[in-house]
Amino acid sequence: MRVHLITPEDVCAAATRIQGEVVRTPLTAGPAGGPHFLLKPESLQPVGAFKIRGAANAVALLNPTQRRRGVVTHSSGNHGQALARAAARRGVPCTVVVPEGAPPVKVERMRAHGARLVVVPPTERAAAARELERTEMLALVPPFDDRAVIAGQGTVGLEILEQSPDVTTVVVPVGGGGLAAGVATVARGVRPGRIRVVGVEPELAADAAESLSSGRLVTWPEERTYRTMADGVRVCLSELTFAHLRENLDEIVTVTEEEIARAVAVLALEARVVAEPSGALATAALLAGKVGTVPGRPEATVAVVSGGNIDPALLARLLARS
């Protein structure tokens, strides 16, 4: 069955739709003394992560009945926070199914945005959300397996193209694949053949790398993906995001836990950017030399820092190791 992919026009429409809901994050200098690249700090968004873009677009597209009944999703934190905030701003009730063991800092922020939380074992999160969709007739807004969400996330790429006309490489984290799918769609559609989009995921949660290498969707069990400290990318691709990445992503690389830890510390100490492990994946790949850069031309390479919602105790431990 052919999957219906989003287009650059969908992303442009989303950008118009979410104006006033999201921050147009700047491009800032990367860490000194290493490879030359810029940062796109989505950690500066109102919920501390890029997820607000897709959530705001999805909520804006709800019909009146859906807005009255409310929305539901499943999330370990960033998407849940984003959907809760976007829904609250439009007076829409929001329920988030949260996996046991989700970072406390993210759980508390979901509550702070007014979400009703339903905590379940990690393996039951998606099924529990679908059950609430059925029994309470809520509108399901998945973290990534949704065209409106992907189009919203693609606005990160649209902004990068507008802010850096000389960019030739964009490096993005990959979990469920919504961000990479949206950014790669924009790059391929707006500047075909001129921009390379590289995805990055942890070695301990490398389902996307295996899927793209084998040419078929491969799903890793949660006991494998939950080994990585990068909690935001422990989910696997969907058929929808896999189709987008197979069509538009140029390359995917993996990084070790040590490389992720180092990137979090380097971003904080040398670039003054607070990043959670998932948000530091693109920087980790660049610092480890797994993605080439252009010497003396930082504007040619942009690393997306996808989120900054790190547990303070974890951040302290990683800084102490550096």
Side-chain angles (χ1 to χ4, degrees), residues 138-155:
L138 304 177
L140 180 63
V141 181
F144 51 86
D145 190 26
D146 182 89
R147 295 180 75 254
V149 170
I150 294 172
Q153 318 304 30
T155 61

Side-chain angles (χ1 to χ4, degrees), residues 59 66-70 84-94:
V59 171
Q66 291 171 322
R67 293 186 183 193
R68 184 176 67 254
R69 291 174 176 168
R85 184 182 192 276
R89 286 175 65 87
R90 293 179 181 267
V92 177
C94 177

